[in-house]
Amino acid sequence: MRTEIVNTLLEARITAIVRGIAPEKLRRTADALCEGGVRTIEVTFDTPGAADMIRLLKKEYADKMLVGAGTVLDTETCRTAILAGADFVLAPTLNTEVIKMCNRYGRAAVPGVMTPTEILTALEAGADIVKVFPAGALGPGYVKDVMGPLKQATIMVVGGVSLENIADFFRAGAACAGIASNLVSKPLVDADDYAAIAERAAAFVQAAKR
């Protein structure tokens, strides 16, 4: 199960990050992302009702998308996410106990890292993918440099990744990317402009393929 989840994340390349949207907007948001070709979605745990939103996505979209939990800062939240059905668990921070819990229950662990020391610590603890965050502030050059001595790292770039820079990140060695407001824009969701979200999703998917 865990290997299949990791492979799907890497094959899909784009994970949509849903943060702070109203639960009643979730289905139409997910439909728009699916229409645009996005195959993995993450609901952040700083979103009210995140666990219920993950349960809904797993129930209604399991045949279309992997469903993950984001902003998971501790083992208590990790367990809640796994019980809700999350396939993968992400964080902006590194907590080795969260990684171990994901390993224990066959879920993919994607901890947040910045430094080479954090990357190696995450890998040694059993992380499947490391989330370089905030990638936009660090830049593609940082990813290229860090992969020089740490070629064994599988990197997801998150934070400030856009249509303008995503190709540079992939050329630098990133394996996949998590996209938040540049894809699932809260103003677009609030305005029910799901066509625009589908268009953005398709653009990111095409950029990842290139």
Side-chain angles (χ1 to χ4, degrees):
M1 178 181 179
R2 181 174 149 202
T3 300
E4 293 175 0
I5 292 168
V6 173
N7 288 341
T8 300
L9 284 168
L10 297 179
E11 289 166 5
R13 304 201 85 183
I14 300 296
T15 294
I17 300 172
V18 174
R19 170 176 282 112
I21 73 169
E24 62 268 19
K25 306 272 189 176
L26 183 61
R27 285 187 179 87
R28 294 187 68 187
T29 300
D31 287 341
L33 292 169
C34 288
E35 182 182 337
V38 170
R39 295 166 53 201
T40 65
I41 185 171
E42 164 200 342
V43 179
T44 66
F45 255 81
D46 55 354
T47 299
D52 288 335
M53 293 169 81
I54 290 169
R55 287 189 190 93
L56 184 150
L57 289 169
K58 281 295 294 182
K59 180 180 178 181
E60 299 187 14
Y61 294 86
D63 60 335
K64 298 178 182 178
M65 309 174 87
L66 278 183
V67 180
T71 318
V72 176
L73 305 179
D74 50 54
T75 54
E76 293 82 4
T77 306
C78 182
R79 187 170 188 275
T80 299
I82 290 171
L83 290 174
D87 298 304
F88 57 97
V89 173
L90 295 93
T93 54
L94 172 59
N95 184 323
T96 58
E97 293 304 313
V98 168
I99 296 171
K100 291 174 185 176
M101 181 169 285
C102 289
N103 292 169
R104 187 177 301 129
Y105 293 104
R107 302 308 197 272
V110 190
V113 297
M114 179 185 284
T115 68
T117 298
E118 289 178 340
I119 292 172
L120 187 58
T121 300
L123 294 177
E124 290 177 342
D128 300 290
I129 299 169
V130 291
K131 168 181 163 179
V132 170
F133 175 84
L138 296 167
Y142 180 82
V143 174
K144 181 179 180 181
D145 289 346
V146 85
M147 289 204 69
L150 295 173
K151 293 180 177 62
Q152 70 272 37
T154 302
I155 290 177
M156 171 186 277
V157 286
V158 181
V161 180
S162 66
L163 284 170
E164 289 70 35
N165 64 22
I166 190 169
D168 293 332
F169 277 113
F170 283 131
R171 278 193 290 268
C176 52
I179 319 293
S181 59
N182 284 326
L183 175 50
V184 186
S185 164
K186 193 170 183 298
L188 290 179
V189 175
D190 289 343
D192 294 326
D193 192 352
Y194 300 103
I197 293 173
E199 289 175 8
R200 290 189 182 192
F204 272 109
V205 168
Q206 287 303 312
K209 288 180 180 178
R210 290 196 298 271

